[in-house]
Amino acid sequence: MNLSEATWTEVRDADVDAALLPVGSTEQHGPHAPLGTDALTAAAVAEAAADEWTDADAGDSDDSDDSDDAGDRVAAGDLLVAPPVHVGVAEEHRAFDGTLWVSPDTFRAYVRETVESLAHHGIDRVVLVNGHGGNVEALAEVARRVSRDDATDAYAVSFTWFEAVGEHASRMGHGGPLETALLRHVAPDLVREDRIEEGRDGGSPRWGEWVRGVNLAHDSDEFTGNGVVGDPTGGTADLGETLLDRASEALCDVSRAIVERDR
């Protein structure tokens, strides 16, 4: 179920197991990929997971070695996909036009209060589906605070899609092969194909400026001329399909675990 497309009565009458809250950013992704890449990819993974979530599959927890300890909650309904959060913690990209950001405090408060709104309606299991590296620390803190707050009576975890794609995760970069691949699969019209090589040639092979394990660079323009890290030419649509399958499958597993878990 997509919350933005549903009516309030449909939400009231729905059997919702958990909510997926896509969280992204509006920031540069090189000359070839849109500013909204992080929110677009997070939402695509969330929608794919919701599509895969069936009553029969969700109710089958026999494959888990510790299923006997999962508590008395049993997944039997739908995953609700909430509207994406489009602006995140992205000041590191401030040198590039169009990038938007908020402070970590503002971001944490916004995400937390969104989760609390869902919990108010009885949707008390939430996965924060993240598509931006700069959000990781803040989202982990939000999930902890929500889950420890007895007044909220909710449980949340943070899930970053590009960390859940197996051996491909090491190729992440920024506007590089993974994001370009997923965009080519789910939103090909938004990829500027005539600027892919420009992205590769003006980018950096590595994120940051490292000395003895310390990153000396605070902003991305200190090490990449056009915002790209990695080689986007290797990001094929076929790879994007694989990434979506792996990330959505992992998201279903995480969702099932929090639904069946005691808080």
Side-chain angles (χ1 to χ4, degrees):
M1 171 180 284
N2 186 298
L3 182 60
S4 295
E5 297 173 0
T7 67
W8 77 266
T9 55
E10 290 169 341
V11 175
R12 178 196 62 193
D13 298 338
D15 182 8
V16 176
D17 285 326
L20 307 178
L21 176 60
V23 185
S25 181
T26 299
E27 64 182 45
Q28 68 82 16
H29 278 81
H32 66 289
L35 289 156
T37 291
D38 292 344
L40 285 165
T41 54
V45 171
E47 291 285 0
D51 288 344
E52 293 176 19
W53 186 266
T54 64
D55 289 355
D57 180 56
D60 182 8
S61 59
D62 293 339
D63 292 337
S64 174
D65 291 337
D66 53 3
S67 59
D68 290 340
D69 299 323
D72 57 3
R73 296 174 60 91
V74 178
D78 297 322
L79 289 182
L80 181 146
V81 180
V85 176
H86 286 276
V87 179
V89 182
E91 191 174 3
E92 68 271 21
H93 298 295
R94 60 185 177 157
F96 297 92
D97 293 325
T99 296
L100 305 178
W101 66 91
V102 293
S103 70
D105 286 345
T106 298
F107 177 74
R108 285 191 295 264
Y110 185 91
V111 174
R112 178 173 181 171
E113 291 178 23
T114 301
V115 173
E116 290 171 349
S117 298
L118 291 165
H120 174 79
H121 300 297
I123 304 169
D124 60 0
R125 296 294 188 272
V126 181
V127 183
L128 310 174
V129 184
N130 180 43
H132 171 50
N135 293 339
V136 170
E137 292 182 10
L139 289 177
E141 182 177 349
V142 169
R144 287 192 297 268
R145 289 185 176 274
V146 165
S147 301
R148 290 169 177 165
D149 186 351
D150 292 334
T152 303
D153 195 28
Y155 184 82
V157 296
S158 179
F159 171 92
T160 298
W161 74 261
F162 50 81
E163 295 177 349
V165 292
E167 70 275 14
H168 300 291
S170 63
R171 301 175 61 196
M172 178 54 186
H174 187 78
L178 268 60
E179 289 176 310
T180 301
L182 190 49
L183 284 173
R184 276 174 160 167
H185 178 56
V186 302
D189 292 345
L190 296 181
V191 179
R192 281 62 168 177
E193 293 291 345
D194 59 337
R195 306 196 72 181
I196 292 280
E197 292 186 1
E198 177 186 345
R200 176 197 62 197
D201 296 341
S204 169
R206 184 184 186 193
W207 181 276
E209 180 185 346
W210 296 87
V211 176
R212 295 279 186 166
V214 175
N215 183 9
L216 305 183
H218 296 295
D219 290 340
S220 58
D221 66 315
E222 297 175 46
F223 52 85
T224 172
N226 64 10
V228 173
V229 176
D231 182 359
T233 63
T236 65
D238 286 344
L239 173 59
E241 183 177 10
T242 297
L243 297 174
L244 186 63
D245 288 345
R246 290 196 180 187
S248 60
E249 180 182 3
L251 180 52
C252 281
D253 288 344
V254 170
S255 300
R256 185 175 301 110
I258 71 164
V259 168
E260 297 178 349
R261 184 184 192 276
D262 285 336
R263 182 168 178 266

